[in-house]
Amino acid sequence: MNKLRFFRFGIFLLCFTVLFSGCAKTAEPLPSSDAASSPAAAPQADFVLPYTESDGFNPYINNSNLTLMAADLLFDKLMIITPGMEAEYGVLSSCRVSGLSVQLRVAPGARFADGSEISAADVAASLEAARQSEGYGPRFSNIQEIALEESGGVSVTLAEPDCLFAYLLDIPVLKASEALAQQPTASGRYTYGEDKTFVKNPYHAGSVPYERILRYRLTGYDALIGNLSLGNISLYASELETETTGASSLRQNYYKMNNLLFIGVNGAHYPDEILKNTPADFLKRPAGRRAVSLLIDRQLLVEKVYYSRGYAATGLLNPAYPDMLSLQTYILASAQLDEAHKEIESLGYSMKLDGYYYNEKDERLSLRLLYYGGSSHKRYLAELLQNQFDAAGIELILVESDDFEGDYRQKIASGDFDLYIGEVKLYNNMDMNSFFSESGALRGKLDITDGLSEKYAAFRLSASAAAELESAFAAEMPFIPLLWRSGAVYSSKQLPALTPSISDIFYGFDKLIPEKE
């Protein structure tokens, strides 16, 4: 397949999008059931997926994690994002983005499992179904109109420029007449077989390692790990923060995601006579926020908190995207304590013999960090940050909240914090309006200047502005990026390794070699 190298500026000038809410692959709890007992263990030579009776196969009307796993095998996608975060053509042969206009073309010869060709009408209907769906809808809120062109393509009109719009198109293609059907005609590597199986799609160009996929009924998460360990189930994918209980005995393959952990900063403005040499004054100043960023060892956080299931945030944008890391020269994965000390001292603080910084009133530089205590990962992250702040001469007072939807959110909304640990799931085109727009859900008390907003707007129009955006962000640091989490695919020990990606957990599936019985 041809790949779109979106950050090769000489070929494409495209851009990014971030959204606060979860996207279509967000895992949901499996329904508990007292239904009939599960079938006997499957032979190891078969590939077996879990299912529940309530699951359909249309990802636009059923957003359960098991449905989305099956959809990766049953339906081809308009675009595919590779393990290296490159955009690769799927059903589409071209995607041209210019300002508010997007033109899509369907690859010739692509067919559904009944032999009918995939048409522009199918692409348009699939995009509209995704736009109207609960799981995919929020990512397409920027779309104003979807229309068929007389030339045989699909035209999309956007409300705002989005030069990386193609990164949103990792969505399944369904027949136009079946966009809301429970069991739409397959278009992917497999189609529906007898006795709750999937079988090879004879009209699909790709090869498959298994002629059929068996399905094994689950009654809940409590049975998941045991069945994986026994080989009754071959694979399960999860984007959840916590490791599935008992999964350490299983093969784990990780894939890059757009889940950003960050430190939110209270940048609210008050009269200088009130702020002078206070924690609020320290965080109001770019030098203070830069100092916080410089003292953090991001690589240590990745290794200790997430057991290397992630990677350091070395800038505003995800460094895993092609050519992005080369533009991020301002934020390092390791701590830079000497530079942090210079920034702190530039604001009038002096370190005393106890190892902490004090202002001219002999008040210790002390900051409060709010975090959600219901997550063991967030709690450990807060503790490690406390140690790193302490080593740099800043007292960090931890404020735990176990009520995420209530107390935690209320404290952030009211500004009852100096710093807080946050996490946002960005869509694949990295629309950061949640941070940068006046009504953005994550903006809160952040100090976003007009100059930085202009750099972000320029980036939305063209990815060639990415370097300037990164430079401006590193200078102002309105919030502190920490790390990007990875998703995990858990598989039985008998299953050879996959190379999953954020849009296809079965990426590279054709290269698997089935185990012999």
Side-chain angles (χ1 to χ4, degrees):
M1 293 184 181
N2 294 329
K3 295 178 180 178
L4 296 182
R5 298 289 300 214
F6 284 113
F7 286 96
R8 298 292 185 191
F9 301 143
I11 302 177
F12 290 96
L13 298 180
L14 301 165
C15 129
F16 274 94
T17 308
V18 193
L19 286 166
F20 184 43
S21 59
C23 73
K25 282 189 177 289
T26 302
E28 297 180 357
L30 298 181
S32 180
S33 171
D34 296 325
S37 60
S38 298
Q44 293 180 1
D46 285 318
F47 192 91
V48 189
L49 288 182
Y51 80 100
T52 63
E53 286 295 344
S54 60
D55 286 327
F57 296 106
N58 188 330
Y60 298 138
I61 60 177
N62 188 328
N63 194 36
S64 79
N65 200 38
L66 298 188
T67 296
L68 297 172
M69 286 174 53
D72 279 354
L73 291 175
L74 291 172
F75 305 106
D76 273 356
K77 299 184 178 184
L78 305 186
M79 300 288 298
I80 301 169
I81 300 175
T82 72
M85 302 299 273
E86 296 174 309
E88 184 176 75
Y89 287 122
V91 170
L92 297 181
S93 62
S94 69
C95 174
R96 297 180 181 178
V97 183
S98 177
L100 301 179
S101 178
V102 181
Q103 278 78 44
L104 309 176
R105 290 279 179 179
V106 183
R111 295 180 180 275
F112 289 102
D114 62 1
S116 60
E117 287 196 21
I118 298 174
S119 68
D122 298 318
V123 170
S126 297
L127 186 54
E128 182 61 33
R131 184 163 72 130
Q132 299 299 329
S133 71
E134 179 181 354
Y136 291 86
R139 72 161 78 179
F140 292 121
S141 61
N142 191 32
I143 291 180
Q144 285 194 320
E145 184 181 19
I146 302 169
L148 291 174
E149 297 178 336
E150 291 184 2
S151 60
V154 178
S155 174
V156 180
T157 303
L158 305 178
E160 297 179 359
D162 180 6
C163 55
L164 288 188
F165 179 80
Y167 268 90
L168 293 179
L169 296 178
D170 60 328
I171 63 171
V173 60
L174 310 182
K175 277 191 172 185
S177 60
E178 301 175 353
L180 297 180
Q182 285 283 345
Q183 186 163 309
T185 303
S187 59
R189 291 162 279 202
Y190 288 86
T191 185
Y192 314 106
E194 297 179 352
D195 300 324
K196 301 186 184 300
T197 64
F198 299 148
V199 295
K200 185 182 184 305
N201 179 357
Y203 292 98
H204 195 271
S207 61
V208 294
Y210 299 88
E211 286 297 318
R212 66 173 183 170
I213 303 291
L214 301 183
R215 298 172 61 221
Y216 189 94
R217 185 179 177 187
L218 288 179
T219 57
Y221 272 121
D222 54 347
L224 179 62
I225 294 302
N227 281 298
L228 275 167
S229 299
L230 291 172
N232 293 340
I233 299 169
S234 300
L235 174 149
Y236 181 76
S238 176
E239 293 184 355
L240 297 179
E241 178 186 68
T242 54
E243 182 178 11
T244 306
T245 304
S248 58
S249 64
L250 301 169
R251 177 169 293 172
Q252 300 174 46
N253 297 79
Y254 305 114
Y255 57 94
K256 296 179 175 65
M257 300 194 304
N258 281 316
N259 286 49
L260 173 64
L261 272 80
F262 64 94
I263 294 178
V265 179
N266 194 337
H269 289 271
Y270 301 94
D272 286 346
E273 60 269 19
I274 296 177
L275 282 177
K276 187 172 177 58
N277 287 330
T278 66
D281 176 61
F282 180 80
L283 295 175
K284 176 185 173 183
R285 313 299 179 187
R289 301 192 296 263
R290 289 196 300 268
V292 171
S293 178
L294 288 163
L295 66 85
I296 295 173
D297 188 331
R298 293 167 169 81
Q299 188 57 41
L300 181 67
L301 300 181
V302 172
E303 294 173 358
K304 295 292 187 181
V305 180
Y306 289 99
Y307 309 101
S308 298
R309 292 174 296 181
Y311 43 101
T314 52
L316 173 64
L317 307 174
N318 192 333
Y321 278 69
D323 306 315
M324 195 67 246
L325 187 60
S326 64
L327 304 180
Q328 297 180 335
T329 59
Y330 311 98
I331 301 174
L332 300 183
S334 58
Q336 303 168 74
L337 288 181
D338 289 342
E339 295 301 317
H341 291 317
K342 291 178 183 178
E343 297 283 16
I344 298 171
E345 290 163 6
S346 73
L347 296 176
Y349 290 87
S350 301
M351 183 176 287
K352 289 197 169 185
L353 293 177
D354 63 0
Y356 289 103
Y357 278 102
Y358 289 80
N359 63 16
E360 59 187 21
K361 297 179 181 179
D362 204 33
E363 297 169 330
R364 179 181 289 182
L365 178 52
S366 179
L367 302 173
R368 295 172 302 144
L369 176 69
L370 173 68
Y371 69 96
Y372 173 53
S375 162
S376 59
H377 290 75
K378 299 294 193 304
R379 187 183 308 111
Y380 188 28
L381 178 61
E383 293 170 356
L384 289 181
L385 286 171
Q386 185 179 49
N387 293 337
Q388 294 184 10
F389 275 66
D390 185 78
I394 300 176
E395 181 181 38
L396 190 66
I397 300 171
L398 301 186
V399 180
E400 179 177 326
S401 174
D402 292 326
D403 181 7
F404 183 82
E405 295 296 336
D407 179 66
Y408 174 81
R409 286 184 177 273
Q410 190 278 327
K411 279 184 166 62
I412 294 175
S414 64
D416 185 14
F417 68 95
D418 297 322
L419 306 167
Y420 73 89
I421 295 176
E423 179 172 356
V424 59
K425 183 170 185 174
L426 288 67
Y427 287 116
N428 298 334
N429 64 339
M430 307 207 60
D431 172 3
M432 291 194 160
N433 282 329
S434 293
F435 287 106
F436 287 98
S437 72
E438 290 292 340
S439 59
L442 297 178
R443 181 157 183 171
K445 304 295 181 181
L446 300 179
D447 186 11
I448 307 289
T449 66
D450 291 341
L452 183 57
S453 293
E454 290 172 1
K455 291 290 193 300
Y456 169 68
F459 173 67
R460 289 272 284 166
L461 185 62
S462 170
S464 62
E468 291 186 7
L469 174 61
E470 289 288 357
S471 175
F473 177 81
E476 299 186 22
M477 203 68 68
F479 62 93
I480 317 297
L482 295 177
L483 60 92
W484 301 86
R485 284 204 300 109
S486 296
V489 173
Y490 303 101
S491 58
S492 62
K493 296 187 179 203
Q494 294 77 23
L495 182 68
L498 288 170
T499 56
S501 78
I502 192 172
S503 67
D504 183 6
I505 63 169
F506 296 102
Y507 193 92
F509 191 64
D510 59 318
K511 297 181 176 63
L512 292 184
I513 301 175
E515 293 284 333
K516 302 296 184 182
E517 292 189 51

